[in-house]
Amino acid sequence: MSKAGGLGLEDDQRFALMKFRRTVQDVLKQPYHDDHFLLRWLRARKWDPVAAEKMLRESMEWRKQWEVDKLADWDPPQVLKDYLPHGLCGFDKDGAPVIAVYFDALDMYGILHVVSRRDMIKVTIKLLEDYLQLCREQLEKHGPAAGQVVVVFDMQGFNLRQYLWRPAGEVIITLIQMYEANYPEILKTCYIVNAPKVFAFAFSVAKKFMNEYTLAKIQIYKADPAKWQAAVLSNISKDQLPAYFGGTLKDPDGNQKLGTKICLGGKIPLEMYASNTEKDNENMTTVMIKKGGKLELDMPASEMGSVLSWEFRTENHDIRFGIMKKDNNGMRKEVLPMRRVAAHQLDEIGILNCEVPATYSVIFDNTYSILRNKKIHYSVRIIPPSEEMAPATMS
């Protein structure tokens, strides 16, 4: 175990480390749980050894519950191997692993129609453990600056729509919370590049579940390659980056995203969807729309920039669906044309930007059916405007 004195710590920090080490001695395993490991938890809890001990012990229990130490032998479902976009592309100038993620190519909606949420969580844990082991190896070779991961997230083409589907949104939040509670201080820097406007809303939700020490490592850039490439290349040499990010690495066929080393993700084919996908109707309203009838939901959007989101499924049969906008004079205008939706085959989800304050009528129409009542499960809501991101956060 390395000496605290060689870690560049202040006296009070060395004292906190000594106290922390002493109180958790019963759960430490050599050689992995050295001072570098302990410092991650202390930094995450602002050098409070009592709070760090609580965090570590809770994480140890979590590892038992998920049998984390056995995941090295677990073979994930093939769809996760083929469609989960991520990969090691190289190392930064200090020797830290650089992970590339083409986030827009993550079809969470499709994945959750093929595998369970539990499998999605398990594969994420397995990947984190693999990358953490690589960090340990790099730390041994190059020192502490190589012992954390650098992540480059590409958000080009990011679509908020699928994350407004409750199961997908819940899984993302669960993964963030799991990461924060059990993998503190393993992130060196996170570059989020090509972030579209709508990403500001998504991030304003996600950051509520992140700790300060994680947020401080995140740099967000709009689709301005001149800006974000300068930041990325200041830390990572060109020969360690895909050409897509401004580096020199390409596949033999010229693919600039380096698909030979990085899984590029993609849309899950519909034929892979599980026919017995578990439908979670909790937190949804269930109604029976009678034959020849319709249901209209008036949703007031009082603030400019609000978002109307919907998610629904029917049982056995389709339904006509559309949205009208009412102005202050009661005049109605069609903003989403009425159409028949096969929501009994695939959940229908979507969003509409409410550019001006108005009341939006969400319509489920069964007037075309003279024989069948339609059972529908739905969630329709108005989401207030996102918090504006500070200039220093998004470049």
Side-chain angles (χ1 to χ4, degrees), residues 45-59:
R45 286 297 178 261
K46 298 179 178 179
W47 300 97
D48 180 343
V50 175
E53 179 187 359
K54 181 176 184 294
M55 184 184 188
L56 176 58
R57 290 189 182 279
E58 287 176 350
S59 181

mmCIF file with all atom_site columns, all heavy atoms in Angstrom, residues 45-59:
data_model
loop_
_atom_site.group_PDB
_atom_site.id
_atom_site.type_symbol
_atom_site.label_atom_id
_atom_site.label_alt_id
_atom_site.label_comp_id
_atom_site.label_asym_id
_atom_site.label_entity_id
_atom_site.label_seq_id
_atom_site.pdbx_PDB_ins_code
_atom_site.Cartn_x
_atom_site.Cartn_y
_atom_site.Cartn_z
_atom_site.occupancy
_atom_site.B_iso_or_equiv
_atom_site.pdbx_formal_charge
_atom_site.auth_seq_id
_atom_site.auth_comp_id
_atom_site.auth_asym_id
_atom_site.auth_atom_id
_atom_site.pdbx_PDB_model_num
ATOM 1   N N   . ARG A 1 45 ? -16.788 12.457 -0.866 1.00 0.00 ? 45 ARG A N   1
ATOM 2   C CA  . ARG A 1 45 ? -17.512 12.914 0.324  1.00 0.00 ? 45 ARG A CA  1
ATOM 3   C C   . ARG A 1 45 ? -16.775 14.066 1.013  1.00 0.00 ? 45 ARG A C   1
ATOM 4   O O   . ARG A 1 45 ? -16.874 14.261 2.217  1.00 0.00 ? 45 ARG A O   1
ATOM 5   C CB  . ARG A 1 45 ? -17.720 11.742 1.296  1.00 0.00 ? 45 ARG A CB  1
ATOM 6   C CG  . ARG A 1 45 ? -18.792 10.756 0.801  1.00 0.00 ? 45 ARG A CG  1
ATOM 7   C CD  . ARG A 1 45 ? -20.149 11.433 0.720  1.00 0.00 ? 45 ARG A CD  1
ATOM 8   N NE  . ARG A 1 45 ? -21.200 10.566 0.212  1.00 0.00 ? 45 ARG A NE  1
ATOM 9   C CZ  . ARG A 1 45 ? -21.635 10.568 -1.033 1.00 0.00 ? 45 ARG A CZ  1
ATOM 10  N NH1 . ARG A 1 45 ? -21.065 11.400 -1.920 1.00 0.00 ? 45 ARG A NH1 1
ATOM 11  N NH2 . ARG A 1 45 ? -22.612 9.779  -1.427 1.00 0.00 ? 45 ARG A NH2 1
ATOM 12  N N   . LYS A 1 46 ? -16.043 14.836 0.190  1.00 0.00 ? 46 LYS A N   1
ATOM 13  C CA  . LYS A 1 46 ? -15.403 16.074 0.651  1.00 0.00 ? 46 LYS A CA  1
ATOM 14  C C   . LYS A 1 46 ? -14.551 15.862 1.896  1.00 0.00 ? 46 LYS A C   1
ATOM 15  O O   . LYS A 1 46 ? -14.589 16.646 2.842  1.00 0.00 ? 46 LYS A O   1
ATOM 16  C CB  . LYS A 1 46 ? -16.459 17.160 0.894  1.00 0.00 ? 46 LYS A CB  1
ATOM 17  C CG  . LYS A 1 46 ? -17.214 17.526 -0.362 1.00 0.00 ? 46 LYS A CG  1
ATOM 18  C CD  . LYS A 1 46 ? -18.271 18.596 -0.109 1.00 0.00 ? 46 LYS A CD  1
ATOM 19  C CE  . LYS A 1 46 ? -18.980 18.963 -1.399 1.00 0.00 ? 46 LYS A CE  1
ATOM 20  N NZ  . LYS A 1 46 ? -20.039 19.982 -1.201 1.00 0.00 ? 46 LYS A NZ  1
ATOM 21  N N   . TRP A 1 47 ? -13.813 14.752 1.902  1.00 0.00 ? 47 TRP A N   1
ATOM 22  C CA  . TRP A 1 47 ? -12.831 14.430 2.933  1.00 0.00 ? 47 TRP A CA  1
ATOM 23  C C   . TRP A 1 47 ? -13.453 14.162 4.295  1.00 0.00 ? 47 TRP A C   1
ATOM 24  O O   . TRP A 1 47 ? -12.796 14.272 5.327  1.00 0.00 ? 47 TRP A O   1
ATOM 25  C CB  . TRP A 1 47 ? -11.764 15.530 3.039  1.00 0.00 ? 47 TRP A CB  1
ATOM 26  C CG  . TRP A 1 47 ? -11.025 15.697 1.753  1.00 0.00 ? 47 TRP A CG  1
ATOM 27  C CD1 . TRP A 1 47 ? -11.266 16.620 0.776  1.00 0.00 ? 47 TRP A CD1 1
ATOM 28  C CD2 . TRP A 1 47 ? -9.966  14.877 1.264  1.00 0.00 ? 47 TRP A CD2 1
ATOM 29  N NE1 . TRP A 1 47 ? -10.425 16.434 -0.295 1.00 0.00 ? 47 TRP A NE1 1
ATOM 30  C CE2 . TRP A 1 47 ? -9.595  15.377 -0.026 1.00 0.00 ? 47 TRP A CE2 1
ATOM 31  C CE3 . TRP A 1 47 ? -9.264  13.783 1.787  1.00 0.00 ? 47 TRP A CE3 1
ATOM 32  C CZ2 . TRP A 1 47 ? -8.594  14.813 -0.781 1.00 0.00 ? 47 TRP A CZ2 1
ATOM 33  C CZ3 . TRP A 1 47 ? -8.251  13.217 1.016  1.00 0.00 ? 47 TRP A CZ3 1
ATOM 34  C CH2 . TRP A 1 47 ? -7.922  13.731 -0.245 1.00 0.00 ? 47 TRP A CH2 1
ATOM 35  N N   . ASP A 1 48 ? -14.715 13.783 4.303  1.00 0.00 ? 48 ASP A N   1
ATOM 36  C CA  . ASP A 1 48 ? -15.387 13.405 5.550  1.00 0.00 ? 48 ASP A CA  1
ATOM 37  C C   . ASP A 1 48 ? -15.279 11.885 5.686  1.00 0.00 ? 48 ASP A C   1
ATOM 38  O O   . ASP A 1 48 ? -15.972 11.145 4.984  1.00 0.00 ? 48 ASP A O   1
ATOM 39  C CB  . ASP A 1 48 ? -16.860 13.828 5.502  1.00 0.00 ? 48 ASP A CB  1
ATOM 40  C CG  . ASP A 1 48 ? -17.622 13.466 6.777  1.00 0.00 ? 48 ASP A CG  1
ATOM 41  O OD1 . ASP A 1 48 ? -17.125 12.626 7.553  1.00 0.00 ? 48 ASP A OD1 1
ATOM 42  O OD2 . ASP A 1 48 ? -18.719 14.025 6.981  1.00 0.00 ? 48 ASP A OD2 1
ATOM 43  N N   . PRO A 1 49 ? -14.415 11.377 6.587  1.00 0.00 ? 49 PRO A N   1
ATOM 44  C CA  . PRO A 1 49 ? -14.197 9.935  6.674  1.00 0.00 ? 49 PRO A CA  1
ATOM 45  C C   . PRO A 1 49 ? -15.441 9.160  7.107  1.00 0.00 ? 49 PRO A C   1
ATOM 46  O O   . PRO A 1 49 ? -15.628 8.016  6.705  1.00 0.00 ? 49 PRO A O   1
ATOM 47  C CB  . PRO A 1 49 ? -13.055 9.792  7.690  1.00 0.00 ? 49 PRO A CB  1
ATOM 48  C CG  . PRO A 1 49 ? -13.009 11.075 8.433  1.00 0.00 ? 49 PRO A CG  1
ATOM 49  C CD  . PRO A 1 49 ? -13.521 12.128 7.505  1.00 0.00 ? 49 PRO A CD  1
ATOM 50  N N   . VAL A 1 50 ? -16.294 9.779  7.904  1.00 0.00 ? 50 VAL A N   1
ATOM 51  C CA  . VAL A 1 50 ? -17.521 9.101  8.344  1.00 0.00 ? 50 VAL A CA  1
ATOM 52  C C   . VAL A 1 50 ? -18.474 8.916  7.165  1.00 0.00 ? 50 VAL A C   1
ATOM 53  O O   . VAL A 1 50 ? -19.025 7.832  6.939  1.00 0.00 ? 50 VAL A O   1
ATOM 54  C CB  . VAL A 1 50 ? -18.204 9.893  9.482  1.00 0.00 ? 50 VAL A CB  1
ATOM 55  C CG1 . VAL A 1 50 ? -19.539 9.243  9.861  1.00 0.00 ? 50 VAL A CG1 1
ATOM 56  C CG2 . VAL A 1 50 ? -17.292 9.972  10.704 1.00 0.00 ? 50 VAL A CG2 1
ATOM 57  N N   . ALA A 1 51 ? -18.660 9.987  6.392  1.00 0.00 ? 51 ALA A N   1
ATOM 58  C CA  . ALA A 1 51 ? -19.537 9.902  5.220  1.00 0.00 ? 51 ALA A CA  1
ATOM 59  C C   . ALA A 1 51 ? -18.952 8.967  4.174  1.00 0.00 ? 51 ALA A C   1
ATOM 60  O O   . ALA A 1 51 ? -19.678 8.219  3.505  1.00 0.00 ? 51 ALA A O   1
ATOM 61  C CB  . ALA A 1 51 ? -19.745 11.296 4.630  1.00 0.00 ? 51 ALA A CB  1
ATOM 62  N N   . ALA A 1 52 ? -17.620 8.987  4.017  1.00 0.00 ? 52 ALA A N   1
ATOM 63  C CA  . ALA A 1 52 ? -16.961 8.106  3.051  1.00 0.00 ? 52 ALA A CA  1
ATOM 64  C C   . ALA A 1 52 ? -17.126 6.648  3.456  1.00 0.00 ? 52 ALA A C   1
ATOM 65  O O   . ALA A 1 52 ? -17.337 5.778  2.601  1.00 0.00 ? 52 ALA A O   1
ATOM 66  C CB  . ALA A 1 52 ? -15.485 8.471  2.939  1.00 0.00 ? 52 ALA A CB  1
ATOM 67  N N   . GLU A 1 53 ? -17.027 6.370  4.760  1.00 0.00 ? 53 GLU A N   1
ATOM 68  C CA  . GLU A 1 53 ? -17.214 4.999  5.244  1.00 0.00 ? 53 GLU A CA  1
ATOM 69  C C   . GLU A 1 53 ? -18.622 4.509  4.945  1.00 0.00 ? 53 GLU A C   1
ATOM 70  O O   . GLU A 1 53 ? -18.827 3.378  4.478  1.00 0.00 ? 53 GLU A O   1
ATOM 71  C CB  . GLU A 1 53 ? -16.952 4.917  6.751  1.00 0.00 ? 53 GLU A CB  1
ATOM 72  C CG  . GLU A 1 53 ? -17.160 3.507  7.300  1.00 0.00 ? 53 GLU A CG  1
ATOM 73  C CD  . GLU A 1 53 ? -17.071 3.427  8.814  1.00 0.00 ? 53 GLU A CD  1
ATOM 74  O OE1 . GLU A 1 53 ? -16.823 4.472  9.458  1.00 0.00 ? 53 GLU A OE1 1
ATOM 75  O OE2 . GLU A 1 53 ? -17.276 2.315  9.351  1.00 0.00 ? 53 GLU A OE2 1
ATOM 76  N N   . LYS A 1 54 ? -19.607 5.356  5.189  1.00 0.00 ? 54 LYS A N   1
ATOM 77  C CA  . LYS A 1 54 ? -20.999 4.984  4.910  1.00 0.00 ? 54 LYS A CA  1
ATOM 78  C C   . LYS A 1 54 ? -21.190 4.684  3.432  1.00 0.00 ? 54 LYS A C   1
ATOM 79  O O   . LYS A 1 54 ? -21.795 3.672  3.056  1.00 0.00 ? 54 LYS A O   1
ATOM 80  C CB  . LYS A 1 54 ? -21.936 6.126  5.340  1.00 0.00 ? 54 LYS A CB  1
ATOM 81  C CG  . LYS A 1 54 ? -23.427 5.845  5.129  1.00 0.00 ? 54 LYS A CG  1
ATOM 82  C CD  . LYS A 1 54 ? -24.262 6.995  5.686  1.00 0.00 ? 54 LYS A CD  1
ATOM 83  C CE  . LYS A 1 54 ? -25.752 6.699  5.573  1.00 0.00 ? 54 LYS A CE  1
ATOM 84  N NZ  . LYS A 1 54 ? -26.223 6.634  4.187  1.00 0.00 ? 54 LYS A NZ  1
ATOM 85  N N   . MET A 1 55 ? -20.625 5.536  2.588  1.00 0.00 ? 55 MET A N   1
ATOM 86  C CA  . MET A 1 55 ? -20.741 5.354  1.143  1.00 0.00 ? 55 MET A CA  1
ATOM 87  C C   . MET A 1 55 ? -20.081 4.047  0.704  1.00 0.00 ? 55 MET A C   1
ATOM 88  O O   . MET A 1 55 ? -20.648 3.273  -0.077 1.00 0.00 ? 55 MET A O   1
ATOM 89  C CB  . MET A 1 55 ? -20.105 6.541  0.433  1.00 0.00 ? 55 MET A CB  1
ATOM 90  C CG  . MET A 1 55 ? -20.258 6.518  -1.077 1.00 0.00 ? 55 MET A CG  1
ATOM 91  S SD  . MET A 1 55 ? -19.379 7.909  -1.854 1.00 0.00 ? 55 MET A SD  1
ATOM 92  C CE  . MET A 1 55 ? -19.926 7.744  -3.562 1.00 0.00 ? 55 MET A CE  1
ATOM 93  N N   . LEU A 1 56 ? -18.881 3.774  1.204  1.00 0.00 ? 56 LEU A N   1
ATOM 94  C CA  . LEU A 1 56 ? -18.153 2.573  0.817  1.00 0.00 ? 56 LEU A CA  1
ATOM 95  C C   . LEU A 1 56 ? -18.865 1.310  1.278  1.00 0.00 ? 56 LEU A C   1
ATOM 96  O O   . LEU A 1 56 ? -19.010 0.344  0.520  1.00 0.00 ? 56 LEU A O   1
ATOM 97  C CB  . LEU A 1 56 ? -16.731 2.612  1.377  1.00 0.00 ? 56 LEU A CB  1
ATOM 98  C CG  . LEU A 1 56 ? -15.877 1.366  1.131  1.00 0.00 ? 56 LEU A CG  1
ATOM 99  C CD1 . LEU A 1 56 ? -15.761 1.073  -0.364 1.00 0.00 ? 56 LEU A CD1 1
ATOM 100 C CD2 . LEU A 1 56 ? -14.484 1.530  1.739  1.00 0.00 ? 56 LEU A CD2 1
ATOM 101 N N   . ARG A 1 57 ? -19.333 1.295  2.529  1.00 0.00 ? 57 ARG A N   1
ATOM 102 C CA  . ARG A 1 57 ? -20.003 0.101  3.047  1.00 0.00 ? 57 ARG A CA  1
ATOM 103 C C   . ARG A 1 57 ? -21.308 -0.175 2.296  1.00 0.00 ? 57 ARG A C   1
ATOM 104 O O   . ARG A 1 57 ? -21.650 -1.335 2.023  1.00 0.00 ? 57 ARG A O   1
ATOM 105 C CB  . ARG A 1 57 ? -20.260 0.243  4.552  1.00 0.00 ? 57 ARG A CB  1
ATOM 106 C CG  . ARG A 1 57 ? -18.990 0.176  5.390  1.00 0.00 ? 57 ARG A CG  1
ATOM 107 C CD  . ARG A 1 57 ? -19.263 0.102  6.878  1.00 0.00 ? 57 ARG A CD  1
ATOM 108 N NE  . ARG A 1 57 ? -18.031 0.092  7.650  1.00 0.00 ? 57 ARG A NE  1
ATOM 109 C CZ  . ARG A 1 57 ? -17.276 -0.987 7.857  1.00 0.00 ? 57 ARG A CZ  1
ATOM 110 N NH1 . ARG A 1 57 ? -17.642 -2.160 7.361  1.00 0.00 ? 57 ARG A NH1 1
ATOM 111 N NH2 . ARG A 1 57 ? -16.174 -0.898 8.580  1.00 0.00 ? 57 ARG A NH2 1
ATOM 112 N N   . GLU A 1 58 ? -22.037 0.872  1.958  1.00 0.00 ? 58 GLU A N   1
ATOM 113 C CA  . GLU A 1 58 ? -23.264 0.681  1.176  1.00 0.00 ? 58 GLU A CA  1
ATOM 114 C C   . GLU A 1 58 ? -22.935 0.127  -0.202 1.00 0.00 ? 58 GLU A C   1
ATOM 115 O O   . GLU A 1 58 ? -23.668 -0.710 -0.739 1.00 0.00 ? 58 GLU A O   1
ATOM 116 C CB  . GLU A 1 58 ? -24.020 2.012  1.058  1.00 0.00 ? 58 GLU A CB  1
ATOM 117 C CG  . GLU A 1 58 ? -24.691 2.442  2.362  1.00 0.00 ? 58 GLU A CG  1
ATOM 118 C CD  . GLU A 1 58 ? -25.345 3.811  2.262  1.00 0.00 ? 58 GLU A CD  1
ATOM 119 O OE1 . GLU A 1 58 ? -25.124 4.507  1.237  1.00 0.00 ? 58 GLU A OE1 1
ATOM 120 O OE2 . GLU A 1 58 ? -26.083 4.193  3.190  1.00 0.00 ? 58 GLU A OE2 1
ATOM 121 N N   . SER A 1 59 ? -21.821 0.586  -0.765 1.00 0.00 ? 59 SER A N   1
ATOM 122 C CA  . SER A 1 59 ? -21.414 0.082  -2.072 1.00 0.00 ? 59 SER A CA  1
ATOM 123 C C   . SER A 1 59 ? -20.991 -1.380 -2.000 1.00 0.00 ? 59 SER A C   1
ATOM 124 O O   . SER A 1 59 ? -21.272 -2.165 -2.914 1.00 0.00 ? 59 SER A O   1
ATOM 125 C CB  . SER A 1 59 ? -20.266 0.930  -2.635 1.00 0.00 ? 59 SER A CB  1
ATOM 126 O OG  . SER A 1 59 ? -19.888 0.470  -3.902 1.00 0.00 ? 59 SER A OG  1
#
